[in-house]
């Protein structure tokens, strides 16, 4: 299915840019007239994905994070968060609740949270080359008054 609109932005893996990514995704999704709960779910999922890039993909240096947003005719929003960092050696293990490589201050719930707020979550990673997280969420059509 071909997207009806799309946007792409690349930014440094600085923690200040996590808020930027959340806001960019929420503003782009606004075209679908989401509810406040849907917007908050989208922002939370994006926040988790971008924070994973900042904390895990580039633990020793800054790197680039790409956020790609696409809208489809069926009111589906696709969000892709991609890095070229260290990658994940065992994606299945990393997706388990409470697993983290980020130390005691990390909860290990990032992928679990993303999955709970999105309709679909796909994680692809190659150690040493980076990770791509693709999330989809269908926004319910609201009745017009």
């Amino acid at each position: 299915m071909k997207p009806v609109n799309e946007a792409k932005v690349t930014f440094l893996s600085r923690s200040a840019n996590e808020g930027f990514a959340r806001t960019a995704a929420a503003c782009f999704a606004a075209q679908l007239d989401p509810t406040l709960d849907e917007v908050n779910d989208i922002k939370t999922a994006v926040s988790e994905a971008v924070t994973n890039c900042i904390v895990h993909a580039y633990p020793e240096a800054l790197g680039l994070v790409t956020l790609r947003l696409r809208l489809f005719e069926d009111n589906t929003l696709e969000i892709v968060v991609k890095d070229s960092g260290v990658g994940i050696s065992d994606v299945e293990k990393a997706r388990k609740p409470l697993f983290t490589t980020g130390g005691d201050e990390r909860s290990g719930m990032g992928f679990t949270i993303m999955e709970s707020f999105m309709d679909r979550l796909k994680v692809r990673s190659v150690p040493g080359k980076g990770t791509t997280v693709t999330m989809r969420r269908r926004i319910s059509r609201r009745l017009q008054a």
Side-chain angles (χ1 to χ4, degrees):
M1 187 180 341
K2 187 176 178 182
V4 295
N5 198 6
E6 59 187 297
K8 181 175 162 181
V9 63
T10 302
F11 50 89
L12 286 174
S13 61
R14 295 188 185 280
S15 32
N17 287 332
E18 177 265 335
F20 166 73
R22 286 170 53 96
T23 303
C27 289
F28 190 80
Q31 300 169 67
L32 297 176
D33 193 27
T35 65
L36 188 56
D37 285 341
E38 289 170 326
V39 170
N40 286 332
D41 290 353
I42 290 163
K43 288 168 65 176
T44 300
V46 168
S47 177
E48 293 295 333
V50 171
T51 297
N52 277 356
C53 296
I54 293 165
V55 172
H56 302 290
Y58 305 109
E60 303 296 324
L62 290 176
L64 293 177
V65 178
T66 300
L67 174 68
R68 189 183 78 196
L69 305 156
R70 300 192 315 165
L71 298 178
F72 295 92
E73 287 180 5
D74 67 350
N75 257 32
T76 297
L77 169 67
E78 181 182 77
I79 302 164
V80 177
V81 179
K82 183 177 182 178
D83 66 66
S84 299
V86 300
I88 303 169
S89 59
D90 187 341
V91 171
E92 189 175 321
K93 186 176 182 181
R95 288 185 67 165
K96 291 190 186 294
L98 306 179
F99 176 83
T100 184
T101 59
D104 291 339
E105 69 277 357
R106 297 285 157 200
S107 70
M109 294 297 290
F111 287 126
T112 303
I113 291 168
M114 286 180 243
E115 198 163 31
S116 69
F117 288 125
M118 292 287 134
D119 296 329
R120 185 172 151 221
L121 174 71
K122 180 179 176 185
V123 182
R124 290 180 319 165
S125 191
V126 177
K129 297 198 177 197
T131 302
T132 302
V133 173
T134 304
M135 302 177 280
R136 283 185 164 229
R137 172 78 183 252
R138 182 177 244 166
I139 304 301
S140 56
R141 295 187 192 268
R142 295 198 279 172
L143 296 174
Q144 300 297 321

